[in-house]
Amino acid sequence: MALGVIIVLVFIVMLLMIYNYSVHKKIDTFTNLNQRVTSLNVLQEFMNTLSENTTIKEKLESINDILINKYAIKYSTIVVFDGAEYKIRASNVDQKHWETLKNLQSDPVFGDSIKTATPKYVTVENENEKLPYQKMEFGRAKCAIFFPLYVDNVYIGYWIIEGSIPHEFDKLDTTILEVVRNNIVTILKTVENQSTIENIVRDDLYSGLKSAEYLYGEGKKIIDKYTTSAICIFRITNLPDINTEISRKTGDKVITEVSNLVKNNLGKDYIFVRFMGPKFAIVFSGTDVGGVSNFMQGMKNKIENMKIAVAEDYYQYDDENEDSNDIQNDEQLTIENSNPDNKENNEEIVVSPRLRVAISTYYKGTSLDGALKKVEEYIDLSDENTINML
């Protein structure tokens, strides 16, 4: 009788063990499935972040925040080599620890991870220990996973996540995180083009305007606040002749004075850049082409009525050229000289700019570069100093 009871109890225990194992497997399966669903959601949020009109710094910080929130990670840091040094591109760790975090590639504990392109998991056994790479902090992180980042088999940096509890990441599915790591690499490659554009924007010396690249970075954040905008390119058609037949410094003065006149008449959300050479671009954010046409007609009249005194180097040029009187009568240059014999008075000799203008519509979500190129091509092909709407 007692033996039968024991056998029944053993059988029940075995059934419970099998049931518990089955429940445990189902929980693991559910956990893995949930992590995969989370990863898909993370990827979608990554893509949404990429499409936003924000700076590289803001995009990477946003991506890091997504990782922290979606995976309940205590600390996350992305470090990238910029060609000269390793820089922290995004982190939620206090800045006093950044010097350590941006030099982990030199720590022996991660050497094999970098060489083999595999993650490295480190953890402490108790609260009184510190991680191998930690220099001064004891209570901040108790475990970490280091993910080396590669682009086309070239090591470019790393992503490191840290937890505040020993062995916190023991059951974390690293295959999912490796997919996330690959997505981070893809994003870094994607934003590199934007980074290049942001870094090559320059301030033009004579106009005081940003170069054309500004339109595709910071400028686009303003432009895309609106569904449609009017884009305008105008060309100072006689600028090349002023440069070569009058003087270069006179051409520079024309650029400066025309730029200042236009700049002082534009609203704060209108973006004015020196496009290239004698060409300038204005994006009238949120404005229709009809209103811009009227505005540019008024600006064209004001600019073409300007009397810009020739620069001092004109007189040196004048002394060296016997045919200077022919230049003064050139209709394209529109030089006025009320006293040709008086070379001491710059105000007696002036030039007037001539403009060719084209205007078109830009629609948010379409190619700004393509829209501007269409307008520029028209400006280059046209030979009339008029205003045209495309």
Side-chain angles (χ1 to χ4, degrees):
M1 180 71 176
L3 181 62
V5 171
I6 291 171
I7 292 173
V8 170
L9 290 174
V10 169
F11 181 72
I12 291 172
V13 169
M14 291 181 65
L15 285 177
L16 288 172
M17 289 176 63
I18 293 170
Y19 175 76
N20 286 338
Y21 177 77
S22 174
V23 170
H24 179 72
K25 291 294 292 181
K26 287 180 179 178
I27 291 173
D28 283 347
T29 300
F30 174 78
T31 300
N32 289 336
L33 179 61
N34 186 55
Q35 286 182 348
R36 284 173 169 78
V37 170
T38 299
S39 292
L40 288 174
N41 291 336
V42 167
L43 180 58
Q44 181 60 53
E45 291 195 35
F46 278 5
M47 296 302 103
N48 293 341
T49 299
L50 278 179
S51 65
E52 294 174 357
N53 285 322
T54 56
T55 63
I56 300 300
K57 184 176 184 296
E58 290 169 333
K59 283 179 178 170
L60 290 174
E61 287 176 349
S62 177
I63 285 166
N64 203 47
D65 289 340
I66 291 169
L67 294 172
I68 291 165
N69 294 328
K70 290 293 183 181
Y71 292 101
I73 296 169
K74 182 69 174 178
Y75 303 110
S76 175
T77 302
I78 299 171
V79 179
V80 179
F81 186 64
D82 69 353
E85 61 179 338
Y86 287 87
K87 288 189 174 180
I88 291 182
R89 304 299 297 270
S91 180
N92 67 326
V93 178
D94 192 295
Q95 288 196 23
K96 67 183 180 182
H97 303 302
W98 282 18
E99 193 63 31
T100 297
L101 287 173
K102 73 177 185 179
N103 288 298
L104 297 183
Q105 76 285 343
S106 302
D107 197 300
V109 73
F110 300 119
D112 288 341
S113 175
I114 294 172
K115 288 179 183 177
T116 59
T118 55
K120 174 72 174 182
Y121 180 32
V122 291
T123 185
V124 299
E125 296 301 325
N126 60 67
E127 293 290 340
N128 296 323
E129 297 180 43
K130 69 175 182 177
L131 294 169
Y133 62 86
Q134 291 178 327
K135 306 300 180 186
M136 54 183 283
E137 68 270 30
F138 285 86
R140 186 180 65 82
K142 296 301 179 183
C143 64
I145 306 180
F146 178 93
F147 296 91
L149 304 176
Y150 283 79
V151 172
D152 299 328
N153 297 320
V154 176
Y155 174 69
I156 63 163
Y158 49 90
W159 170 44
I160 183 168
I161 60 173
E162 300 170 293
S164 57
I165 303 171
H167 294 279
E168 184 175 342
F169 298 145
D170 285 4
K171 295 184 179 181
L172 196 61
D173 188 347
T174 56
T175 59
I176 295 296
L177 291 179
E178 287 193 56
V179 172
V180 174
R181 185 264 304 270
N182 294 336
N183 289 332
I184 292 174
V185 171
T186 301
I187 285 162
L188 288 172
K189 289 171 65 177
T190 302
V191 299
E192 185 60 31
N193 291 333
Q194 182 181 341
S195 178
T196 300
I197 290 172
E198 289 179 359
N199 290 334
I200 64 176
V201 173
R202 295 290 183 269
D203 290 332
D204 180 61
L205 177 61
Y206 300 108
S207 66
L209 304 173
K210 299 290 186 186
S211 57
E213 292 79 15
Y214 179 79
L215 291 171
Y216 311 112
E218 286 293 314
K220 202 165 187 298
K221 292 166 61 177
I222 299 171
I223 298 166
D224 281 354
K225 291 178 183 177
Y226 306 92
T227 305
T228 61
S229 298
I231 55 175
C232 167
I233 293 180
F234 70 84
R235 177 174 183 161
I236 305 176
T237 57
N238 58 344
L239 183 62
D241 293 322
I242 292 172
N243 283 334
T244 57
E245 298 184 31
I246 304 301
S247 73
R248 187 76 188 191
K249 288 185 179 179
T250 302
D252 294 340
K253 284 186 68 176
V254 169
I255 290 170
T256 300
E257 296 197 25
V258 169
S259 299
N260 288 339
L261 177 62
V262 175
K263 188 168 27 180
N264 292 334
N265 283 275
L266 291 176
K268 66 175 183 177
D269 275 357
Y270 297 164
I271 301 171
F272 183 30
V273 299
R274 186 166 184 188
F275 201 69
M276 185 182 297
K279 290 176 282 193
F280 298 77
I282 310 173
V283 178
F284 295 87
S285 310
T287 305
D288 65 88
V289 294
V292 170
S293 177
N294 294 333
F295 172 80
M296 287 306 300
Q297 185 61 64
M299 291 307 304
K300 185 175 187 298
N301 293 339
K302 289 181 181 179
I303 291 169
E304 294 187 343
N305 284 321
M306 294 174 76
K307 308 297 182 184
I308 301 173
V310 300
E312 291 180 359
D313 57 340
Y314 165 75
Y315 297 106
Q316 179 182 355
Y317 179 91
D318 192 29
D319 289 338
E320 294 172 355
N321 287 271
E322 296 178 357
D323 296 329
S324 61
N325 288 333
D326 293 335
I327 296 174
Q328 292 174 9
N329 294 326
D330 190 325
E331 188 173 313
Q332 171 69 4
L333 294 177
T334 60
I335 301 175
E336 295 182 11
N337 185 350
S338 61
N339 188 357
D341 295 326
N342 186 356
K343 296 183 179 182
E344 299 301 322
N345 187 354
N346 287 12
E347 296 301 321
E348 297 297 328
I349 304 174
V350 296
V351 295
S352 296
R354 290 290 176 263
L355 296 192
R356 183 181 305 149
V357 183
I359 305 166
S360 186
T361 301
Y362 164 71
Y363 299 90
K364 178 180 177 180
T366 62
S367 170
L368 179 59
D369 178 57
L372 286 165
K373 190 168 292 184
K374 180 183 72 172
V375 180
E376 183 187 18
E377 287 173 353
Y378 181 85
I379 284 283
D380 289 339
L381 292 174
S382 176
D383 57 1
E384 296 179 352
N385 292 334
T386 56
I387 295 179
N388 292 277
M389 289 188 290
L390 308 184

